[in-house]
Amino acid sequence: MLELTAFELAQKIHAKEISAREAAEVANTRVEKVEGDINAFVTTTPDIATERAERVDERLKNGGSDSVNLWETVPLVVKDVLSTKGTRTTCGSKILEDFTPVYNATALEKFGEDLIMVGKANMDEFAMGSSTENSAYGPTKNPWDLSRVPGGSSGGSAAAVAAGEGWWALGTDTGGSVRQPGAFCGMVGLKPTYGRVSRYGLVAFASSLDQIGPMTRDVRDSALLLQAISGHDPNDSTSAKVEVPDYLSELENGVSGLRVGVVTELMNAEGVEPEVRAITEKTARDLEEAGADVGEVSLPHATYGLPAYYIIAPAELSSNLARFDGVRYGHRATASGVHEMYRRTREEGFGDEAKRRIMLGTYALSSGYYDAYYAQAQKVRTKIVDDFRSAFRDFDILISPTCPTAAFEIGDKVNDPLAMYANDICAVPASLAGVPAISIPGGLSDGLPVGVQLMSDHFTEPTLLRAAHAAERASEFRFEMKP
Ligand code: GLN
């Protein structure tokens, strides 16, 4: 059962060949077996999974398969930055160690009351990081090689699915956090168009960039999970009032006539290893053989995305994290006066990376520096938006590496923030432009998975998924449970 895709499992549950309860128990058992090695979860919820799975089975029995959406039947791993009613939500931070939300994120509400949740997945604190080492709950290990990071910030979600602790997961992506851990763990990671999925109940990091996205074993699962979570939400004014397409129906239509551009600047970005470049080129050739028109495309300002992102994201974060003051949420330090209480609460509750970024962001927004940093970064962001706009006049799909390398060693970059940030160079342009981007496993380098990134224009996920599906089919890589 653990080797099935979520889609396959859902079909079997719909057909009553397997019960949801059996699936939940298989996941719970697997968690017990491997969690000691992987540490993919901050909180596991085996009883919730089993109880709710029983209710799903009950509904299937009474109402038949039409009464339960396919996606409701498969146990889900939930990144610990998504609010879960009645289950603690730490965001990987000590400051929220005992915080239990009173409502569910909208993306989770789409599963109804019986969301079969395996647990809350480990992550870099408040989603800041690319390795899951910035978690207050210990690092997550990469199931492909336990001495390596799973990527971040959704490293727990990626590792859990790669290790068979669940069939699929929700992560969040602000500057690559679904795509990069997806790449490092041999998973498919999709960042939808900004506005496609409601951010209500997603604890905010950088509000102009954050999106919730599926982390799955293949592209079909990605389409199904996106189907579940998409759509306008009156509780999030940045969620778009656009129709939700049927992501699965076009999946098999192939890429004949699709125009695919290989992004020159990202292929040659700093640190991109030759093997990674070769695997990306191979994916482009596969698409060409499948009937796409493949050429080269330039995003002239793409590599300036990295410094712009590392101003904009901390600036927004410094404001968003101001709410953690010991009064409204989470940890509260004991102190004699209110100012001392604020100071100690934040000193005790936040980790080093959170503190670093709060300072960077506050500095970039402060009077006298605002124009030089924040405003300048916003201008760069506009340039990147324009680059994409003109690229999409000639191309339907853009292709690049997801990140410069395969998974690095635990401890390698954690004391060198700039080296850690540099890993995001290929991922942040799509975030700044708000366009959808997917990472699929392109192949192996020294036995480790390498991700290839496909990007498309706003709200064209059906085309993006169709191209990703064709590339996946052509590649030799197939999901394999590890370790
Ligand atoms: N690695 C990036 C950062 O640390 C992206 C994180 C994310 O997408 N949440 O900001």
Side-chain angles (χ1 to χ4, degrees):
M1 205 191 297
L2 281 170
E3 300 283 346
L4 297 173
T5 66
F7 186 82
E8 290 164 347
L9 178 62
Q11 283 189 317
K12 287 188 190 292
I13 294 173
H14 253 191
K16 302 210 181 69
E17 287 169 40
I18 295 176
S19 70
R21 186 199 159 104
E22 283 171 304
E25 282 179 349
V26 163
N28 291 341
T29 307
R30 180 74 184 161
V31 169
E32 259 175 47
K33 182 157 175 232
V34 299
E35 201 34 27
D37 288 335
I38 309 287
N39 192 35
F41 291 96
V42 176
T43 308
T44 53
T45 53
D47 297 341
I48 289 182
T50 313
E51 270 166 40
R52 295 187 187 166
E54 277 171 4
R55 292 211 295 264
V56 168
D57 286 330
E58 200 54 33
R59 280 167 49 214
L60 277 169
K61 200 171 116 204
N62 298 333
S65 59
D66 285 348
S67 66
V68 182
N69 289 302
L70 269 183
W71 60 77
E72 290 177 64
T73 64
V74 179
L76 180 73
V77 173
V78 179
K79 186 177 181 182
D80 207 19
V81 72
L82 295 170
S83 286
T84 43
K85 186 175 171 183
T87 301
R88 77 168 174 157
T89 299
T90 70
C91 300
S93 180
K94 203 164 171 271
I95 210 163
L96 291 179
E97 194 169 6
D98 299 315
F99 172 63
T100 302
V102 293
Y103 68 92
N104 278 329
T106 298
L108 301 177
E109 280 291 302
K110 307 256 186 187
F111 291 78
E113 289 196 342
D114 302 334
L115 167 68
I116 309 172
M117 180 169 73
V118 187
K120 301 295 299 287
N122 200 11
M123 54 182 284
D124 287 301
E125 185 174 12
F126 289 105
M128 290 174 281
S130 310
S131 70
T132 315
E133 291 165 293
N134 298 334
S135 165
Y137 305 91
T140 298
K141 317 281 170 55
N142 190 319
W144 284 75
D145 175 348
L146 299 177
S147 72
R148 291 178 190 266
V149 304
S153 61
S154 315
S157 297
V161 180
E165 297 179 272
W167 285 266
W168 57 6
L170 286 178
T172 62
D173 190 310
T174 303
S177 277
V178 158
R179 291 164 281 159
Q180 184 256 17
F184 280 13
C185 293
M187 314 295 310
V188 174
L190 168 65
K191 181 198 87 72
T193 307
Y194 184 81
R196 180 62 97 184
V197 179
S198 168
R199 292 184 296 109
Y200 185 69
L202 155 59
V203 179
F205 164 8
S207 308
S208 76
L209 298 157
D210 297 341
Q211 269 295 286
I212 301 169
M215 307 183 71
T216 59
R217 296 171 174 199
D218 71 1
V219 174
R220 180 184 310 277
D221 283 1
S222 189
L224 181 63
L225 193 45
L226 183 63
Q227 201 74 53
I229 63 176
S230 292
H232 175 69
D233 174 10
N235 285 328
D236 172 9
S237 60
T238 65
S239 74
K241 280 191 182 141
V242 294
E243 217 183 303
V244 176
D246 181 342
Y247 301 111
L248 285 153
S249 65
E250 285 180 37
L251 215 53
E252 312 264 353
N253 289 3
V255 290
S256 181
L258 224 56
R259 300 161 305 167
V260 175
V262 182
V263 184
T264 313
E265 290 79 5
L266 299 182
M267 289 297 268
N268 300 305
E270 205 178 311
V272 174
E273 284 180 351
E275 283 259 359
V276 172
R277 198 175 296 127
I279 287 172
T280 311
E281 278 161 0
K282 157 103 174 37
T283 303
R285 275 201 309 280
D286 285 346
L287 288 172
E288 190 163 35
E289 271 166 36
D293 294 327
V294 178
E296 271 188 36
V297 62
S298 171
L299 297 174
H301 303 90
T303 55
Y304 299 105
L306 191 67
Y309 172 87
Y310 276 97
I311 294 293
I312 293 167
E316 295 187 22
L317 166 119
S318 68
S319 159
N320 276 328
L321 290 200
R323 76 194 64 182
F324 301 106
D325 56 5
V327 177
R328 286 165 292 184
Y329 307 92
H331 176 67
R332 175 182 204 150
T334 39
S336 49
V338 69
H339 286 109
E340 184 62 11
M341 189 279 285
Y342 290 153
R343 201 182 62 75
R344 279 207 206 150
T345 295
R346 291 167 71 82
E347 164 65 33
E348 291 167 11
F350 288 134
D352 288 350
E353 185 63 20
K355 287 174 185 160
R356 179 180 297 122
R357 293 210 199 182
I358 289 168
M359 287 190 278
L360 277 172
T362 305
Y363 182 83
L365 290 174
S366 58
S367 116
Y369 296 102
Y370 183 97
D371 285 335
Y373 292 101
Y374 185 69
Q376 193 70 8
Q378 292 290 23
K379 287 179 195 163
V380 173
R381 185 173 189 175
T382 301
K383 288 276 181 208
I384 290 171
V385 169
D386 290 344
D387 284 358
F388 275 99
R389 193 172 293 143
S390 78
F392 288 131
R393 279 199 278 271
D394 299 320
F395 294 94
D396 304 296
I397 299 287
L398 309 184
I399 183 166
S400 80
T402 305
C403 22
T405 65
F408 46 86
E409 297 276 343
I410 292 174
D412 233 21
K413 299 187 199 286
V414 72
N415 296 318
D416 184 354
L418 288 182
M420 188 74 86
Y421 301 168
N423 199 257
D424 301 332
I425 190 152
C426 297
V428 294
S431 302
L432 292 166
V435 298
I438 191 168
S439 176
I440 58 167
L444 298 178
S445 163
D446 278 336
L448 293 171
V450 168
V452 175
Q453 175 174 241
L454 277 61
M455 300 169 269
S456 69
D457 207 352
H458 295 102
F459 300 107
T460 60
E461 282 91 345
T463 313
L464 183 67
L465 287 160
R466 176 152 63 92
H469 188 255
E472 172 184 72
R473 216 163 16 184
S475 121
E476 268 130 50
F477 187 95
R478 290 291 171 270
F479 175 78
E480 242 181 276
M481 202 173 76
K482 301 276 175 183

